[in-house]
Amino acid sequence: MSVVGTSGVGKSTFARALAERLDVPHIELDELHWGPDWTAAPAPEFRAVVRARLDGPEWVIDGNYQSKLGRMVWEHADTVVWLDPPRWLTMWRLTRRTAGRVFGRQTLWNGNRESLAVFKIWKGEESVLWWSWVTFARNRERYLSAMSDPALDGLAFHRLRTRRDVGAFLKQAG
């Protein structure tokens, strides 16, 4: 199962809870993509690592990365869960989460930590807040299009827009 959505919508939190309910491994694409000092994995290496993880019979994977992976994840999935809350809520949650990580000095993947620089939206891609704002509409368009793409007819798509939607999906999955 693939969990997608814009940065800050709660993909990892939801995917961890879903994997636990289904008793399957959780795969976090950010963990596989980001090396020490926020070094991005080269596309061929990233694809190889992800492909190896997808060999398992069942899993819940979260993240987008279609620019590097194409539809590889979806070719191995039977279900796509798209977390799609309103933009204002996404930005509120992301700001709150990021502040907690920065001021709590939370260590993320491979020893990385977010710094105050993530709040400098004028620095473009260096800011997760900027990234989320800029990619929000593009992601929505991408996933709406994918839901009606005949080439993806074999995938069950679930668009979850509210906490109630998320809770009902998790309850049903358990």
Side-chain angles (χ1 to χ4, degrees), residues 115-131:
S115 70
L116 286 173
V118 299
F119 292 107
K120 297 177 180 177
I121 58 174
W122 59 90
K123 291 207 167 216
E125 289 185 17
E126 291 180 38
S127 168
V128 69
L129 299 170
W130 177 89
W131 180 255

Side-chain angles (χ1 to χ4, degrees), residues 30-41 101-102 105-115:
D30 281 338
E31 181 180 9
L32 303 178
H33 183 260
W34 293 111
D37 298 319
W38 294 105
T39 304
R101 286 179 173 179
V102 169
R105 302 197 33 81
Q106 181 180 350
T107 302
L108 301 171
W109 324 276
N110 298 302
N112 294 312
R113 288 191 176 140
E114 291 181 328
S115 70

Side-chain angles (χ1 to χ4, degrees), residues 73-146:
V73 171
W74 289 1
E75 289 166 359
H76 289 82
D78 59 2
T79 304
V80 174
V81 178
W82 170 26
L83 301 181
D84 185 33
R87 181 184 262 171
W88 70 267
L89 183 56
T90 298
M91 297 308 297
W92 167 249
R93 288 178 180 168
L94 180 61
T95 301
R96 199 175 72 212
R97 179 197 81 184
T98 302
R101 286 179 173 179
V102 169
F103 296 111
R105 302 197 33 81
Q106 181 180 350
T107 302
L108 301 171
W109 324 276
N110 298 302
N112 294 312
R113 288 191 176 140
E114 291 181 328
S115 70
L116 286 173
V118 299
F119 292 107
K120 297 177 180 177
I121 58 174
W122 59 90
K123 291 207 167 216
E125 289 185 17
E126 291 180 38
S127 168
V128 69
L129 299 170
W130 177 89
W131 180 255
S132 184
W133 183 266
V134 169
T135 60
F136 188 90
R138 181 175 45 201
N139 284 338
R140 183 169 273 176
E141 184 178 307
R142 173 189 299 149
Y143 298 129
L144 282 171
S145 175

Side-chain angles (χ1 to χ4, degrees), residues 7-27:
S7 297
V9 297
K11 293 181 300 292
S12 296
T13 301
F14 173 79
R16 266 191 300 277
L18 183 58
E20 186 176 310
R21 283 188 173 268
L22 298 173
D23 195 26
V24 300
H26 169 233
I27 304 165

